[in-house]
Structures are given as C-alpha cells and as structure tokens.
Amino acid sequence: MARTEKEKMLAGELYLATDPELMAERARTRKLLRSYNQSTEDELKQRESLLAQLLGAVGEGTWIEPPFFCDYGAHIRLGARVFMNFQCVILDCNPVTLGDDVFMGPGVQLYAATPPLDADERIKGPELGRPITLGSKVWIGGGSIICPGVTVGEGTTIGAGSVVTRDIPPYVFAAGNPCRVIRNLR
C-alpha cells in the first residue's frame, strides 16, 4: 500500500506539503495559533487548553510568550518548565523535542523543514524534514536558528544570533554562524 504524504513527511522522505490532509492540519493549527496569540495574560486556563490542543506534549510549568508560530504543532514535544520568549517559530514537519528546563530567547527559530538540495528536484515542489532535539537545561539565545536534523546536548548554551547547522555536544557554550563550540562548561 502506498504511504501517505504525512507518513513520508514524518519518515524524513520527500513529501508534498500541498497534500489535502497536511493542508487541513496546518489550517487547524493556524486557527489555534490565532486564538493563542490573541489571548491575554489573564486567560491562563485558555492558553493552557489551547497549547494542549495544539502541541504533541506540553510539560508542567511550560510558558510560551505570544506570538508563537508553528506548522503543525502536533509534532512538537515540550518537557517541563520550557520557556519560549516572544516571536519563536518552530517548523515541525518532523519531530521537534525539547527536554525539561529549556529556555529560548526572543525570535528563536527551529527549522525541521528543508528543501531538497538538488535544484531540479526542488522545483518539482517536494519538501523534506529532519528531527530537532534540544536536551534538558539548554539555553538558546535570542535570534538563533536551529537547522534541520540538529541535536543540542544537555546543559548547553547557544549564544544569541547563532546559526546551528550541526550537532552541539552537552555542557558547552557555542556561538556564531555557523555555530561552533567556544568552551566547555564542565
């Protein structure tokens, strides 16, 4: 039996984002995000309910400052006490997992989505996705971009404005474009 476009997407294979099932899921996500992003600080129960409907998992004590944006939401799993500051974006066409006590500065972007590198393939319209994992106790400085397929190890700090194109080990300070380890933290 042929695999669905969603199955291909989550398996990291070429898929078509214009598939009706995927378009319907993104439309549902946009509606939930509009409600979340328009909510106020006084509507905490509503925010909790919206995040529970939107995300694959939300750990206790998690806080996301609006506005927040994502593609599907269902592929995002957040540990306990995760904090995302204003204007964070997660393109979750593949699993995006954040451990406990992850903090993200404003404007952080996590991109699981990536186009095919071959131009002839890319212009046909298919897309790809690679998982992103942030270990527990990770800090991502404001304006940083985490690229597809990257894992950031536990206890690591990523400096503001970094572009993380490859895995970063645990308990280091890393920064730059491309992001590189500056020093060990243990």
Side-chain angles (χ1 to χ4, degrees):
M1 181 178 348
R3 294 166 60 112
T4 67
E5 295 302 308
K6 182 175 181 175
E7 289 169 335
K8 290 189 256 181
M9 177 182 78
L10 293 172
E13 300 169 5
L14 288 172
Y15 73 96
L16 294 173
T18 55
D19 175 72
E21 177 187 14
L22 295 176
M23 291 175 65
E25 287 186 23
R26 289 193 308 274
R28 175 189 175 276
T29 299
R30 299 296 183 275
K31 289 176 186 174
L32 290 168
L33 285 170
R34 266 192 302 281
S35 294
Y36 186 81
N37 290 334
Q38 293 172 359
S39 67
T40 67
E41 301 77 24
D42 300 328
E43 300 172 309
L44 296 181
K45 291 292 182 199
Q46 179 186 357
R47 282 185 178 179
E48 288 175 7
S49 173
L50 288 165
L51 286 180
Q53 294 173 64
L54 179 66
L55 303 178
V58 183
E60 185 179 339
T62 289
W63 184 268
I64 300 175
E65 287 286 356
F68 166 66
F69 304 97
C70 63
D71 275 337
Y72 298 95
H75 312 127
I76 300 170
R77 303 187 66 77
L78 306 178
R81 300 169 302 282
V82 169
F83 173 77
M84 291 185 207
N85 214 322
F86 304 104
Q87 296 284 346
C88 286
V89 175
I90 301 178
L91 302 184
D92 64 311
C93 62
N94 214 266
V96 176
T97 305
L98 281 64
D100 296 339
D101 303 301
V102 170
F103 299 142
M104 293 171 31
V108 169
Q109 300 174 49
L110 308 180
Y111 300 153
T114 185
L117 292 178
D118 179 83
D120 292 330
E121 187 67 35
R122 184 172 52 245
I123 64 172
K124 294 176 189 173
E127 299 179 15
L128 291 164
R130 302 282 183 259
I132 293 174
T133 303
L134 305 182
S136 294
K137 300 184 278 184
V138 165
W139 172 264
I140 307 292
S144 293
I145 297 171
I146 310 298
C147 291
V150 166
T151 295
V152 176
E154 178 177 321
T156 284
T157 297
I158 303 294
S162 295
V163 178
V164 186
T165 60
R166 64 180 152 241
D167 291 353
I168 303 293
Y171 294 101
V172 298
F173 170 66
N177 180 4
C179 188
R180 63 182 176 75
V181 173
I182 306 295
R183 66 183 170 99
N184 289 320
L185 297 176
R186 288 212 165 160

